[in-house]
Amino acid sequence: MRAAPANPPIYNIEKIRGDFPALQELMRGKPLAYLDNAATTQKPQAVLDVIQNYYVSSNANIHRAVHLLAQRATEAYESAREKTRQFLNAERASECVFVRGTTEAVNLAANAYARPRLKPGDEIVVSAMEHHSNIVPWQLVCQATGARLRVIPMNNRGELIMEEYEALLNEKTQIVSVVHVSNALGTVNPVREIGRMAHEHGAVFMVDGAQAVQHMRVDVQELNADFYAFSGHKLYGPTGIGILYGKHEHLESMEPYEGGGEMILSVSFEKTTYNDPPHKFEAGTPNIAGAAALEAALDYVMSLGVERIAAHEKRLLEYAHETLSFNRRVQLVGTAAEKASVISFVMDSAHPHDIGTILDSDGVAIRTGHHCAQPAMERLGVPATARASIGLYNTTEDIDALARSLNKVAEIFG
Ligand code: 7TS
């Protein structure tokens, strides 16, 4: 009897790849090795179909008219909210606010929660590896309120230094907002522990989950997060839709962020009363088709199983680390013990932009630059990196194509 293969497939990768039309495209005459999933993911046909079908048979404005199309549109929108609740294991669907993406989610929490509450001397804690979207909104709050931004440092591997975090916390700490998985380094942060410590000091805890929800199971109740943000487009859904999860008690006590249609109960020139959450935070006609397509993306991911996706990607990440270790010119940036999806690297002889250009000529799509995490780059002493990031449909062939093209870079740049 033959022994079972060492690595039995976790799922039918060929079938899955067939679900993604973009992966069938040739790039510069070469098969596409799409390794820029941290920037955005490709979309399965099921998501594309929902967008098309929505506009064909359900297009109307929501929560307004009684006609059938309006009922369908409202149903599609609210059904996506309920699916998001299941996906995050939130207690109530009304805790899931539709936003444009992670950036808007952080801005909403910063403006509607933090800004009216913070006073001079209060402190907001973020980490050294944040995306600019989880830095700048808090800086704006600091400017407006006189609060101060504190930063959890990281070590040379790109791991947060928990003792230093502990030392930062005090009675002035009002908010701790930390990235779950770093987009620049791939580090998976111990967010449960970070949140526990924040709560011990009476602070509110927010998580930037833009790079987490597509790679691991996230349970906002288990994490005990006060706020959790993610973007649909990094989770195989469309651009322009994302989620701010917020605990009911917070959303209820928050002032609106934007004013306009649907976020009100009644308006007069003397006094306006606001609608209940989540509608209080969804002024104007929202991205209804985007919400419906987000539901399709969540269905896709949940039917594959987030745990299985994580297992597949972990295997590929290990394969990539091993394969790239044969190229002496490649130096990894970000070598945390707990990592997901991201392989950031530099090659002493070649600028990341040149690496990206050569890889592109081979059909290998990666991102180069500072990844909107300039403080993290500065801390690790590099202005920019080349970054390959893995998604559920990637294969060892994609990694081999990356490795071959990097050998070429090493040859060209010597
Ligand atoms: N937070 C993290 C950790 C991110 O990786 C990103 C986007 C954002 C916030 C902002 O998300 P958005 O959907 O609102 O734009 N990161 C990247 C990236 O790594 N390459 O392109 C975008």
Side-chain angles (χ1 to χ4, degrees):
M1 204 173 79
R2 282 174 59 192
N7 273 331
I10 290 163
Y11 43 52
N12 184 343
I13 192 75
E14 281 315 312
K15 180 175 173 300
I16 287 167
R17 290 180 67 80
D19 293 339
F20 290 81
L23 299 182
Q24 322 309 320
E25 297 277 304
L26 292 182
M27 293 292 135
R28 306 189 190 285
K30 311 265 173 55
L32 168 63
Y34 187 75
L35 291 167
D36 195 16
N37 293 288
T40 200
T41 52
Q42 300 304 334
K43 320 304 173 199
Q45 189 64 48
V47 167
L48 304 176
D49 287 346
V50 165
I51 297 171
Q52 161 99 1
N53 292 341
Y54 169 79
Y55 283 115
V56 170
S57 60
S58 307
N59 179 45
N61 215 322
I62 53 165
H63 299 137
R64 293 162 208 234
V66 294
H67 60 78
L68 181 58
L69 285 176
Q71 287 174 29
R72 284 185 189 157
T74 304
E75 217 165 87
Y77 189 69
E78 291 305 328
S79 162
R81 201 191 303 281
E82 168 56 24
K83 189 55 60 75
T84 307
R85 184 203 69 71
Q86 288 169 27
F87 181 66
L88 293 177
N89 192 33
E91 201 180 324
R92 311 175 185 206
S94 64
E95 293 176 318
C96 301
V97 180
F98 285 118
V99 288
R100 276 185 291 130
T102 306
T103 302
E104 190 177 37
V106 181
N107 277 281
L108 202 172
N111 281 288
Y113 183 86
R115 211 172 162 135
R117 286 172 175 74
L118 267 54
K119 46 186 196 319
D122 283 344
E123 294 182 354
I124 300 172
V125 175
V126 297
S127 88
M129 66 178 83
E130 298 308 320
H131 187 279
H132 299 166
S133 292
N134 197 31
I135 300 174
V136 185
W138 304 115
Q139 283 176 327
L140 291 169
V141 169
C142 288
Q143 268 172 33
T145 62
R148 183 174 166 215
L149 195 69
R150 311 291 309 266
V151 182
I152 311 170
M154 64 180 172
N155 63 25
N156 294 337
R157 293 188 300 277
E159 295 165 322
L160 296 182
I161 305 172
M162 293 298 277
E163 302 75 51
E164 303 249 10
Y165 169 50
E166 171 108 68
L168 276 180
L169 292 166
N170 61 62
E171 71 287 351
K172 290 179 276 181
T173 315
Q174 300 298 330
I175 292 170
V176 174
S177 187
V178 169
V179 71
H180 197 160
V181 175
S182 157
N183 69 314
L185 309 172
T187 310
V188 181
N189 285 317
V191 281
R192 200 172 185 285
E193 180 65 3
I194 293 171
R196 190 189 60 72
M197 289 161 69
H199 287 145
E200 261 177 27
H201 288 80
V204 156
F205 179 51
M206 174 154 195
V207 183
D208 169 354
Q211 301 291 347
V213 286
Q214 63 280 52
H215 301 302
M216 61 190 61
R217 189 155 157 60
V218 171
D219 179 328
V220 288
Q221 294 192 70
E222 200 256 335
L223 277 182
N224 200 12
D226 294 290
F227 296 102
Y228 195 100
F230 74 87
S231 302
H233 70 98
K234 295 180 196 284
L235 180 73
Y236 310 98
T239 53
I241 192 82
I243 292 290
L244 174 69
Y245 159 84
K247 277 187 187 164
H248 177 74
E249 65 194 86
H250 298 317
L251 294 182
E252 187 128 277
S253 72
M254 277 156 61
E255 290 295 305
Y257 171 44
E258 293 178 319
E262 275 313 304
M263 51 73 70
I264 51 86
L265 286 178
S266 73
V267 175
S268 73
F269 286 113
E270 289 71 41
K271 184 171 166 50
T272 290
T273 48
Y274 307 128
N275 205 335
D276 293 328
H279 311 295
K280 183 164 63 170
F281 305 107
E282 295 176 359
T285 302
N287 185 356
I288 310 165
L294 175 64
E295 169 156 19
L298 294 176
D299 276 335
Y300 190 89
V301 165
M302 285 157 90
S303 72
L304 268 184
V306 185
E307 284 86 358
R308 287 204 302 163
I309 294 169
H312 171 77
E313 293 177 348
K314 181 167 187 280
R315 204 181 262 183
L316 271 188
L317 186 65
E318 281 164 11
Y319 181 77
H321 279 153
E322 192 190 326
T323 309
L324 297 192
S325 71
F326 295 118
N327 187 331
R328 295 246 184 89
R329 306 253 180 227
V330 172
Q331 282 169 36
L332 294 184
V333 178
T335 51
E338 293 293 329
K339 273 184 72 170
S341 173
V342 169
I343 307 135
S344 236
F345 58 93
V346 290
M347 295 174 82
D348 48 9
S349 46
H351 189 276
H353 189 77
D354 296 325
I355 300 174
T357 306
I358 293 171
L359 265 56
D360 176 55
S361 71
D362 288 333
V364 180
I366 62 159
R367 183 175 167 188
T368 59
H370 54 60
H371 315 296
C372 300
Q374 277 181 330
M377 298 285 110
E378 193 167 316
R379 163 63 185 81
L380 296 176
V382 289
T385 73
R387 179 191 71 184
S389 50
I390 294 166
L392 64 85
Y393 38 58
N394 286 120
T395 60
T396 50
E397 285 80 16
D398 293 332
I399 305 297
D400 293 341
L402 169 72
R404 269 197 308 277
S405 207
L406 289 176
N407 287 340
K408 206 171 176 187
V409 174
E411 268 169 41
I412 292 169
F413 285 88

Short mmCIF file of all heavy atoms in Angstrom, two decimals, residues 138-191:
data_model
loop_
_atom_site.label_atom_id
_atom_site.label_comp_id
_atom_site.label_asym_id
_atom_site.label_seq_id
_atom_site.Cartn_x
_atom_site.Cartn_y
_atom_site.Cartn_z
N TRP A 138 -6.53 59.09 14.59
CA TRP A 138 -6.29 59.33 16.03
C TRP A 138 -5.45 60.58 16.24
O TRP A 138 -5.64 61.30 17.22
CB TRP A 138 -5.62 58.10 16.66
CG TRP A 138 -6.41 56.84 16.46
CD1 TRP A 138 -6.06 55.74 15.75
CD2 TRP A 138 -7.73 56.56 16.98
NE1 TRP A 138 -7.05 54.79 15.77
CE2 TRP A 138 -8.09 55.27 16.52
CE3 TRP A 138 -8.64 57.27 17.76
CZ2 TRP A 138 -9.32 54.68 16.83
CZ3 TRP A 138 -9.87 56.68 18.08
CH2 TRP A 138 -10.20 55.41 17.61
N GLN A 139 -4.53 60.84 15.30
CA GLN A 139 -3.77 62.09 15.39
C GLN A 139 -4.70 63.29 15.28
O GLN A 139 -4.54 64.29 15.98
CB GLN A 139 -2.71 62.16 14.28
CG GLN A 139 -1.50 61.29 14.57
CD GLN A 139 -0.50 61.29 13.40
OE1 GLN A 139 -0.90 61.39 12.24
NE2 GLN A 139 0.78 61.16 13.71
N LEU A 140 -5.68 63.17 14.39
CA LEU A 140 -6.65 64.27 14.23
C LEU A 140 -7.45 64.47 15.51
O LEU A 140 -7.73 65.60 15.92
CB LEU A 140 -7.58 63.99 13.04
CG LEU A 140 -6.90 64.05 11.66
CD1 LEU A 140 -7.82 63.49 10.58
CD2 LEU A 140 -6.51 65.49 11.31
N VAL A 141 -7.81 63.35 16.16
CA VAL A 141 -8.52 63.45 17.44
C VAL A 141 -7.63 64.14 18.48
O VAL A 141 -8.08 65.01 19.23
CB VAL A 141 -8.95 62.05 17.95
CG1 VAL A 141 -9.44 62.11 19.39
CG2 VAL A 141 -10.02 61.46 17.06
N CYS A 142 -6.36 63.77 18.48
CA CYS A 142 -5.42 64.39 19.43
C CYS A 142 -5.34 65.90 19.19
O CYS A 142 -5.39 66.69 20.13
CB CYS A 142 -4.04 63.76 19.32
SG CYS A 142 -3.99 62.09 19.99
N GLN A 143 -5.23 66.27 17.92
CA GLN A 143 -5.16 67.71 17.59
C GLN A 143 -6.40 68.45 18.07
O GLN A 143 -6.31 69.56 18.58
CB GLN A 143 -5.08 67.89 16.07
CG GLN A 143 -3.66 67.95 15.54
CD GLN A 143 -3.67 67.94 14.01
OE1 GLN A 143 -4.59 68.47 13.38
NE2 GLN A 143 -2.67 67.32 13.42
N ALA A 144 -7.55 67.82 17.90
CA ALA A 144 -8.81 68.51 18.23
C ALA A 144 -9.06 68.55 19.73
O ALA A 144 -9.75 69.44 20.22
CB ALA A 144 -9.97 67.81 17.52
N THR A 145 -8.53 67.58 20.48
CA THR A 145 -8.92 67.45 21.89
C THR A 145 -7.79 67.74 22.87
O THR A 145 -8.03 67.87 24.07
CB THR A 145 -9.41 66.01 22.20
OG1 THR A 145 -8.32 65.10 21.95
CG2 THR A 145 -10.61 65.63 21.34
N GLY A 146 -6.56 67.75 22.38
CA GLY A 146 -5.42 67.91 23.31
C GLY A 146 -4.99 66.58 23.91
O GLY A 146 -4.17 66.53 24.83
N ALA A 147 -5.54 65.47 23.40
CA ALA A 147 -5.10 64.15 23.86
C ALA A 147 -3.73 63.84 23.24
O ALA A 147 -3.28 64.55 22.33
CB ALA A 147 -6.11 63.08 23.46
N ARG A 148 -3.10 62.77 23.72
CA ARG A 148 -1.75 62.46 23.30
C ARG A 148 -1.70 61.03 22.73
O ARG A 148 -2.32 60.13 23.29
CB ARG A 148 -0.87 62.55 24.56
CG ARG A 148 0.56 62.34 24.34
CD ARG A 148 1.28 62.63 25.66
NE ARG A 148 2.63 62.12 25.55
CZ ARG A 148 3.30 61.58 26.54
NH1 ARG A 148 2.76 61.47 27.75
NH2 ARG A 148 4.52 61.15 26.35
N LEU A 149 -0.93 60.87 21.64
CA LEU A 149 -0.80 59.55 21.01
C LEU A 149 0.42 58.84 21.59
O LEU A 149 1.51 59.41 21.61
CB LEU A 149 -0.65 59.73 19.50
CG LEU A 149 -0.86 58.48 18.65
CD1 LEU A 149 -2.33 58.05 18.67
CD2 LEU A 149 -0.44 58.74 17.19
N ARG A 150 0.23 57.61 22.08
CA ARG A 150 1.34 56.81 22.58
C ARG A 150 1.50 55.59 21.67
O ARG A 150 0.52 55.12 21.11
CB ARG A 150 1.07 56.31 24.02
CG ARG A 150 0.60 57.36 24.99
CD ARG A 150 1.63 58.39 25.35
NE ARG A 150 2.91 57.88 25.79
CZ ARG A 150 3.27 57.65 27.06
NH1 ARG A 150 2.39 57.85 28.03
NH2 ARG A 150 4.48 57.24 27.36
N VAL A 151 2.72 55.07 21.58
CA VAL A 151 2.98 54.03 20.59
C VAL A 151 3.63 52.80 21.24
O VAL A 151 4.67 52.91 21.90
CB VAL A 151 3.92 54.56 19.48
CG1 VAL A 151 4.16 53.49 18.43
CG2 VAL A 151 3.31 55.80 18.83
N ILE A 152 3.02 51.63 21.05
CA ILE A 152 3.61 50.38 21.54
C ILE A 152 4.78 50.03 20.63
O ILE A 152 4.58 49.85 19.42
CB ILE A 152 2.61 49.20 21.49
CG1 ILE A 152 1.27 49.59 22.11
CG2 ILE A 152 3.19 47.96 22.15
CD1 ILE A 152 0.15 48.57 21.88
N PRO A 153 5.99 49.93 21.16
CA PRO A 153 7.13 49.63 20.29
C PRO A 153 7.16 48.16 19.86
O PRO A 153 6.47 47.32 20.43
CB PRO A 153 8.36 49.96 21.15
CG PRO A 153 7.88 50.00 22.54
CD PRO A 153 6.38 50.11 22.56
N MET A 154 7.98 47.87 18.84
CA MET A 154 8.14 46.48 18.41
C MET A 154 9.63 46.13 18.37
O MET A 154 10.49 47.01 18.32
CB MET A 154 7.48 46.25 17.06
CG MET A 154 8.07 47.01 15.90
SD MET A 154 7.15 46.59 14.39
CE MET A 154 7.86 47.76 13.24
N ASN A 155 9.90 44.84 18.38
CA ASN A 155 11.29 44.38 18.31
C ASN A 155 11.72 44.22 16.85
O ASN A 155 10.93 44.51 15.93
CB ASN A 155 11.48 43.08 19.12
CG ASN A 155 10.67 41.92 18.55
OD1 ASN A 155 10.34 41.90 17.36
ND2 ASN A 155 10.35 40.94 19.40
N ASN A 156 12.96 43.77 16.63
CA ASN A 156 13.49 43.72 15.26
C ASN A 156 12.80 42.67 14.39
O ASN A 156 12.92 42.71 13.17
CB ASN A 156 15.00 43.43 15.28
CG ASN A 156 15.76 44.58 15.90
OD1 ASN A 156 15.26 45.71 15.92
ND2 ASN A 156 16.95 44.31 16.42
N ARG A 157 12.11 41.73 15.01
CA ARG A 157 11.37 40.73 14.22
C ARG A 157 10.00 41.27 13.80
O ARG A 157 9.32 40.66 13.00
CB ARG A 157 11.18 39.44 15.04
CG ARG A 157 12.47 38.69 15.33
CD ARG A 157 12.19 37.34 15.97
NE ARG A 157 11.46 37.47 17.22
CZ ARG A 157 12.02 37.72 18.39
NH1 ARG A 157 13.32 37.88 18.50
NH2 ARG A 157 11.29 37.82 19.49
N GLY A 158 9.62 42.39 14.39
CA GLY A 158 8.30 42.94 14.07
C GLY A 158 7.23 42.39 14.99
O GLY A 158 6.10 42.15 14.55
N GLU A 159 7.59 42.19 16.27
CA GLU A 159 6.61 41.75 17.27
C GLU A 159 6.45 42.85 18.31
O GLU A 159 7.46 43.46 18.72
CB GLU A 159 7.10 40.48 17.98
CG GLU A 159 7.22 39.29 17.06
CD GLU A 159 8.04 38.14 17.65
OE1 GLU A 159 9.04 38.42 18.34
OE2 GLU A 159 7.68 36.98 17.42
N LEU A 160 5.23 43.07 18.75
CA LEU A 160 5.01 44.10 19.77
C LEU A 160 5.66 43.67 21.09
O LEU A 160 5.64 42.49 21.44
CB LEU A 160 3.51 44.35 19.96
CG LEU A 160 2.80 44.92 18.74
CD1 LEU A 160 1.33 45.16 19.04
CD2 LEU A 160 3.48 46.20 18.24
N ILE A 161 6.21 44.65 21.79
CA ILE A 161 6.87 44.36 23.07
C ILE A 161 5.83 44.57 24.17
O ILE A 161 5.48 45.70 24.51
CB ILE A 161 8.11 45.26 23.26
CG1 ILE A 161 9.04 45.10 22.05
CG2 ILE A 161 8.83 44.91 24.56
CD1 ILE A 161 10.20 46.07 22.01
N MET A 162 5.32 43.45 24.68
CA MET A 162 4.16 43.51 25.57
C MET A 162 4.48 44.19 26.90
O MET A 162 3.62 44.85 27.49
CB MET A 162 3.59 42.11 25.78
CG MET A 162 2.96 41.50 24.53
SD MET A 162 1.55 42.46 23.91
CE MET A 162 0.25 41.82 24.96
N GLU A 163 5.72 44.05 27.39
CA GLU A 163 6.08 44.71 28.66
C GLU A 163 6.02 46.23 28.49
O GLU A 163 5.62 46.95 29.39
CB GLU A 163 7.50 44.33 29.13
CG GLU A 163 7.76 42.84 29.33
CD GLU A 163 7.93 42.09 28.01
OE1 GLU A 163 8.75 42.54 27.19
OE2 GLU A 163 7.24 41.06 27.81
N GLU A 164 6.44 46.67 27.31
CA GLU A 164 6.43 48.13 27.05
C GLU A 164 4.97 48.61 26.92
O GLU A 164 4.66 49.73 27.31
CB GLU A 164 7.19 48.44 25.76
CG GLU A 164 8.62 47.94 25.80
CD GLU A 164 9.63 49.07 25.87
OE1 GLU A 164 9.21 50.22 26.08
OE2 GLU A 164 10.82 48.77 25.73
N TYR A 165 4.15 47.76 26.36
CA TYR A 165 2.72 48.11 26.26
C TYR A 165 2.14 48.27 27.66
O TYR A 165 1.48 49.26 27.98
CB TYR A 165 1.99 47.02 25.46
CG TYR A 165 0.48 47.11 25.51
CD1 TYR A 165 -0.19 48.31 25.25
CD2 TYR A 165 -0.29 45.98 25.83
CE1 TYR A 165 -1.58 48.38 25.31
CE2 TYR A 165 -1.67 46.04 25.87
CZ TYR A 165 -2.31 47.25 25.62
OH TYR A 165 -3.68 47.31 25.68
N GLU A 166 2.42 47.28 28.49
CA GLU A 166 1.94 47.31 29.88
C GLU A 166 2.35 48.61 30.57
O GLU A 166 1.55 49.27 31.24
CB GLU A 166 2.55 46.11 30.62
CG GLU A 166 2.33 46.12 32.11
CD GLU A 166 1.34 45.06 32.51
OE1 GLU A 166 1.69 43.88 32.40
OE2 GLU A 166 0.22 45.44 32.94
N ALA A 167 3.62 49.01 30.32
CA ALA A 167 4.15 50.22 30.97
C ALA A 167 3.47 51.50 30.44
O ALA A 167 3.46 52.52 31.13
CB ALA A 167 5.65 50.29 30.77
N LEU A 168 2.93 51.42 29.23
CA LEU A 168 2.28 52.61 28.63
C LEU A 168 0.90 52.86 29.23
O LEU A 168 0.41 53.98 29.21
CB LEU A 168 2.07 52.39 27.13
CG LEU A 168 3.20 52.68 26.16
CD1 LEU A 168 2.71 52.39 24.74
CD2 LEU A 168 3.62 54.13 26.27
N LEU A 169 0.28 51.78 29.73
CA LEU A 169 -1.12 51.90 30.17
C LEU A 169 -1.20 52.61 31.52
O LEU A 169 -0.41 52.34 32.42
CB LEU A 169 -1.75 50.51 30.29
CG LEU A 169 -1.95 49.77 28.96
CD1 LEU A 169 -2.26 48.29 29.22
CD2 LEU A 169 -3.06 50.40 28.14
N ASN A 170 -2.15 53.51 31.65
CA ASN A 170 -2.37 54.19 32.93
C ASN A 170 -3.78 54.77 32.94
O ASN A 170 -4.56 54.55 32.00
CB ASN A 170 -1.31 55.30 33.13
CG ASN A 170 -1.41 56.34 32.03
OD1 ASN A 170 -2.43 57.00 31.88
ND2 ASN A 170 -0.37 56.45 31.21
N GLU A 171 -4.11 55.51 33.98
CA GLU A 171 -5.49 56.01 34.11
C GLU A 171 -5.86 57.02 33.03
O GLU A 171 -7.03 57.32 32.82
CB GLU A 171 -5.74 56.56 35.53
CG GLU A 171 -5.07 57.87 35.89
CD GLU A 171 -3.56 57.74 36.12
OE1 GLU A 171 -3.02 56.60 36.17
OE2 GLU A 171 -2.91 58.78 36.23
N LYS A 172 -4.86 57.54 32.29
CA LYS A 172 -5.16 58.49 31.21
C LYS A 172 -5.49 57.78 29.89
O LYS A 172 -6.01 58.38 28.96
CB LYS A 172 -3.96 59.42 30.99
CG LYS A 172 -3.76 60.41 32.13
CD LYS A 172 -2.57 61.30 31.90
CE LYS A 172 -1.31 60.61 32.35
NZ LYS A 172 -0.07 61.33 32.23
N THR A 173 -5.18 56.48 29.83
CA THR A 173 -5.42 55.73 28.58
C THR A 173 -6.92 55.60 28.34
O THR A 173 -7.62 54.98 29.14
CB THR A 173 -4.81 54.31 28.67
OG1 THR A 173 -3.52 54.40 29.23
CG2 THR A 173 -4.76 53.66 27.31
N GLN A 174 -7.39 56.17 27.25
CA GLN A 174 -8.83 56.10 26.94
C GLN A 174 -9.12 55.09 25.84
O GLN A 174 -10.16 54.46 25.84
CB GLN A 174 -9.35 57.47 26.50
CG GLN A 174 -9.19 58.56 27.54
CD GLN A 174 -9.98 58.25 28.81
OE1 GLN A 174 -11.01 57.59 28.78
NE2 GLN A 174 -9.47 58.70 29.95
N ILE A 175 -8.19 55.00 24.88
CA ILE A 175 -8.43 54.15 23.72
C ILE A 175 -7.15 53.41 23.37
O ILE A 175 -6.06 54.01 23.39
CB ILE A 175 -8.88 55.01 22.52
CG1 ILE A 175 -10.27 55.57 22.83
CG2 ILE A 175 -8.90 54.21 21.21
CD1 ILE A 175 -10.79 56.57 21.92
N VAL A 176 -7.29 52.12 23.08
CA VAL A 176 -6.17 51.35 22.52
C VAL A 176 -6.67 50.82 21.18
O VAL A 176 -7.71 50.16 21.12
CB VAL A 176 -5.78 50.18 23.45
CG1 VAL A 176 -4.71 49.31 22.79
CG2 VAL A 176 -5.29 50.71 24.80
N SER A 177 -5.95 51.15 20.10
CA SER A 177 -6.37 50.70 18.77
C SER A 177 -5.18 50.05 18.06
O SER A 177 -4.18 50.71 17.80
CB SER A 177 -6.92 51.87 17.96
OG SER A 177 -7.47 51.38 16.75
N VAL A 178 -5.31 48.77 17.79
CA VAL A 178 -4.16 47.99 17.32
C VAL A 178 -4.56 47.14 16.12
O VAL A 178 -5.68 46.65 16.04
CB VAL A 178 -3.62 47.10 18.48
CG1 VAL A 178 -2.61 46.09 17.98
CG2 VAL A 178 -2.99 47.97 19.56
N VAL A 179 -3.60 46.96 15.22
CA VAL A 179 -3.84 46.13 14.04
C VAL A 179 -3.79 44.65 14.43
O VAL A 179 -2.93 44.24 15.22
CB VAL A 179 -2.81 46.48 12.94
CG1 VAL A 179 -1.40 46.01 13.27
CG2 VAL A 179 -3.24 45.94 11.59
N HIS A 180 -4.73 43.87 13.90
CA HIS A 180 -4.78 42.43 14.22
C HIS A 180 -3.64 41.70 13.50
O HIS A 180 -2.88 40.97 14.13
CB HIS A 180 -6.15 41.88 13.80
CG HIS A 180 -6.50 40.57 14.41
ND1 HIS A 180 -7.79 40.11 14.50
CD2 HIS A 180 -5.73 39.60 14.96
CE1 HIS A 180 -7.79 38.92 15.08
NE2 HIS A 180 -6.56 38.58 15.37
N VAL A 181 -3.54 41.94 12.17
CA VAL A 181 -2.44 41.38 11.38
C VAL A 181 -1.81 42.54 10.59
O VAL A 181 -2.52 43.27 9.89
CB VAL A 181 -2.94 40.31 10.39
CG1 VAL A 181 -1.80 39.82 9.49
CG2 VAL A 181 -3.57 39.13 11.13
N SER A 182 -0.50 42.68 10.70
CA SER A 182 0.18 43.80 10.03
C SER A 182 0.23 43.58 8.52
O SER A 182 0.69 42.53 8.06
CB SER A 182 1.60 43.94 10.57
OG SER A 182 2.42 44.60 9.62
N ASN A 183 -0.17 44.60 7.76
CA ASN A 183 -0.14 44.47 6.30
C ASN A 183 1.28 44.57 5.76
O ASN A 183 1.57 44.08 4.68
CB ASN A 183 -1.00 45.56 5.64
CG ASN A 183 -0.41 46.95 5.82
OD1 ASN A 183 0.00 47.31 6.92
ND2 ASN A 183 -0.36 47.72 4.76
N ALA A 184 2.17 45.21 6.51
CA ALA A 184 3.54 45.40 6.02
C ALA A 184 4.45 44.24 6.41
O ALA A 184 5.40 43.94 5.69
CB ALA A 184 4.10 46.70 6.57
N LEU A 185 4.15 43.57 7.54
CA LEU A 185 5.07 42.55 8.07
C LEU A 185 4.44 41.17 8.22
O LEU A 185 5.14 40.18 8.36
CB LEU A 185 5.57 42.99 9.47
CG LEU A 185 6.14 44.41 9.55
CD1 LEU A 185 6.42 44.79 10.99
CD2 LEU A 185 7.39 44.53 8.70
N GLY A 186 3.12 41.12 8.25
CA GLY A 186 2.44 39.84 8.43
C GLY A 186 2.28 39.41 9.87
O GLY A 186 1.65 38.39 10.16
N THR A 187 2.83 40.17 10.81
CA THR A 187 2.74 39.81 12.23
C THR A 187 1.28 39.67 12.68
O THR A 187 0.45 40.54 12.40
CB THR A 187 3.36 40.93 13.11
OG1 THR A 187 4.65 41.22 12.59
CG2 THR A 187 3.42 40.52 14.56
N VAL A 188 0.99 38.56 13.38
CA VAL A 188 -0.32 38.40 14.01
C VAL A 188 -0.17 38.86 15.46
O VAL A 188 0.61 38.27 16.23
CB VAL A 188 -0.80 36.93 13.98
CG1 VAL A 188 -2.18 36.81 14.61
CG2 VAL A 188 -0.82 36.40 12.55
N ASN A 189 -0.87 39.89 15.83
CA ASN A 189 -0.74 40.43 17.19
C ASN A 189 -1.65 39.70 18.17
O ASN A 189 -2.74 39.26 17.80
CB ASN A 189 -1.06 41.93 17.19
CG ASN A 189 0.08 42.73 16.60
OD1 ASN A 189 1.25 42.47 16.89
ND2 ASN A 189 -0.25 43.68 15.74
N PRO A 190 -1.21 39.60 19.43
CA PRO A 190 -2.04 38.93 20.46
C PRO A 190 -3.16 39.86 20.92
O PRO A 190 -3.14 40.39 22.03
CB PRO A 190 -1.03 38.66 21.58
CG PRO A 190 0.01 39.73 21.44
CD PRO A 190 0.07 40.08 19.97
N VAL A 191 -4.14 40.07 20.05
CA VAL A 191 -5.13 41.12 20.29
C VAL A 191 -6.03 40.83 21.49
O VAL A 191 -6.49 41.75 22.17
CB VAL A 191 -6.00 41.43 19.04
CG1 VAL A 191 -5.26 42.30 18.07
CG2 VAL A 191 -6.48 40.18 18.37
#
